[in-house]
Amino acid sequence: MKNTKCIVTLVIGKNFKTSWTELCYKNWKDYASKYDYDLIVFDKPLDTATRASKRSPAWQKCLVLLQPEVKNYRQVVWIDADILINNSVAPCICSFVPEDSIGGVQDFAYPTKNIYLCLLQQLYEQWDKKEIQYINNLTPQLFYRNYGIETNIDEVFQTGVFVASPNYHSELFKEVYYKYEDKGGSEWNYEMRPLSYEIISQSQTTWLPYEFNAIVLQYLATHYSFLIGVKPSSLLVHKFVKRLYIYYSKFSKNLTMLEDSQEYLYEQQCLNSAFNNSYFCHFAGMGFNSMKKVHLHL
């Protein structure tokens, strides 16, 4: 181990690993080399118990600090596998975070807390009209309370990216893994609700710039607000809006991919805008196919 910091992720399943390797490996490796990180990729479950097999592998990020390959580093950067790094502008993430602190991006706050709230209200109104079932997480308190955590904490830690130290934080993450249970589907955000609560409650938290975990769907809803509210004036735009709206509604599996070249261009432009305005561009809920439309600065 020549470096004091590393980047870690988990890629389980042949197809998932293949997609990550083709689209992300070089991108991540370039970033790691630029700032002297080791890159550690786990492609097998860290926990093989029956309980682990019955819930999302996302929970196993809580175990990475305990792994022999990781535990001797001073700082560890966890990155969800569905993220592309904008190497032309992304700075060294660890340089923002003291070793005894956990660094991450605040959710429910982009571009501001008030604007996020307005956009979320609009989205819920659309879902109500369409009779789409959802969990009302209008405030951070509701985000936790719906899971069963009573708190007045007014912040949410987005756990797709974090910086932590095995020396200081291993037990906190381990506690979350064994103390809390999975609630079900993706609408429950897997480990994020309890992990966010415990990080903010128990540790010194360093809030990183949003660009270090820029959620593409949040970016689209913020900067292309017609996607969730305004009736398009043309069939072409309507098809595009429908496509991204369904992504935002987390129903992308039911969507027939549209092949219109002009529509593809519009979508590509929006996705590249999201990428170019981020450091770590997070395609949560969108899949690897959307990554293919981004022009990386190689």
Side-chain angles (χ1 to χ4, degrees):
M1 185 183 77
K2 66 176 182 178
N3 296 319
T4 61
K5 55 189 186 291
C6 69
I7 294 170
V8 184
T9 197
L10 184 69
V11 290
I12 295 179
K14 181 179 179 180
N15 291 339
F16 193 87
K17 179 182 178 181
T18 297
S19 294
W20 182 86
T21 302
E22 291 177 352
L23 295 169
C24 301
Y25 173 76
K26 185 181 185 304
N27 176 247
W28 290 31
K29 189 66 174 177
D30 288 347
Y31 180 84
S33 298
K34 183 176 182 179
Y35 295 113
D36 296 324
Y37 290 85
D38 290 331
L39 177 58
I40 300 173
V41 181
F42 292 104
D43 59 5
K44 293 180 175 58
L46 305 180
D47 179 10
T48 57
T50 301
R51 176 174 177 259
S53 67
K54 292 181 178 179
R55 60 183 186 173
S56 169
W59 282 88
Q60 298 197 26
K61 68 180 67 173
C62 298
L63 299 176
V64 297
L65 299 182
L66 299 168
Q67 302 309 305
E69 301 92 329
V70 174
K71 65 181 183 180
N72 292 322
Y73 287 93
R74 293 179 60 183
Q75 286 184 295
V76 174
V77 182
W78 169 270
I79 306 179
D80 279 3
D82 54 354
I83 287 175
L84 283 176
I85 301 175
N86 187 347
N87 283 309
S88 66
V89 296
C92 174
I93 189 172
C94 282
S95 67
F96 290 75
V97 185
E99 190 174 332
D100 61 349
S101 180
I102 299 179
V105 167
Q106 188 174 165
D107 207 348
F108 285 69
Y110 179 79
T112 68
K113 288 187 175 182
N114 286 337
I115 293 176
Y116 181 91
L117 174 61
C118 290
L119 290 170
L120 194 57
Q121 287 174 323
Q122 292 178 38
L123 179 63
Y124 286 169
E125 288 172 5
Q126 293 293 318
W127 285 352
D128 286 336
K129 291 177 183 178
K130 296 178 180 293
E131 298 183 346
I132 295 174
Q133 297 296 314
Y134 62 92
I135 300 173
N136 186 330
N137 300 313
L138 203 55
T139 66
Q141 289 86 359
L142 278 174
F143 181 76
Y144 298 118
R145 190 177 303 138
N146 288 331
Y147 186 88
I149 299 172
E150 291 295 332
T151 180
N152 291 321
I153 290 175
D154 193 34
E155 298 163 322
V156 174
F157 188 110
Q158 219 296 337
T159 59
V161 174
F162 61 76
V163 180
S165 168
N167 289 332
Y168 291 95
H169 308 121
S170 295
E171 289 303 312
L172 184 156
F173 283 86
K174 179 181 176 181
E175 176 186 346
V176 171
Y177 186 78
Y178 289 105
K179 178 180 178 181
Y180 294 95
E181 297 298 334
D182 193 270
K183 294 288 186 179
S186 60
E187 68 273 15
W188 287 103
N189 305 98
Y190 309 119
E191 86 303 330
M192 183 169 155
R193 298 179 197 237
L195 184 54
S196 170
Y197 168 73
E198 296 292 353
I199 287 174
I200 296 171
S201 298
Q202 293 192 42
S203 72
Q204 177 184 335
T205 305
T206 297
W207 293 119
L208 294 170
Y210 176 81
E211 288 82 2
F212 275 116
N213 191 359
I215 309 297
V216 173
L217 293 174
Q218 290 181 1
Y219 182 91
L220 296 176
T222 301
H223 299 283
Y224 306 101
S225 58
F226 64 86
L227 297 178
I228 61 171
V230 179
K231 184 177 180 181
S233 58
S234 73
L235 178 61
L236 178 64
V237 178
H238 174 72
K239 290 165 68 179
F240 172 47
V241 170
K242 180 180 178 183
R243 182 174 184 176
L244 288 184
Y245 177 79
I246 293 176
Y247 277 140
Y248 197 75
S249 304
K250 298 183 179 180
F251 284 96
S252 58
K253 291 181 180 179
N254 299 325
L255 182 65
T256 300
M257 301 300 286
L258 302 173
E259 300 298 335
D260 186 284
S261 59
Q262 187 62 44
E263 179 205 352
Y264 183 94
L265 177 62
Y266 287 156
E267 182 180 7
Q268 189 177 54
Q269 289 172 337
C270 289
L271 293 174
N272 277 276
S273 176
F275 176 78
N276 290 330
N277 285 284
S278 66
Y279 301 151
F280 293 5
C281 189
H282 195 169
F283 290 79
M286 299 182 74
F288 288 107
N289 282 334
S290 295
M291 286 187 182
K292 296 176 182 178
K293 301 176 180 66
V294 173
H295 298 297
L296 297 182
H297 302 286
L298 301 176

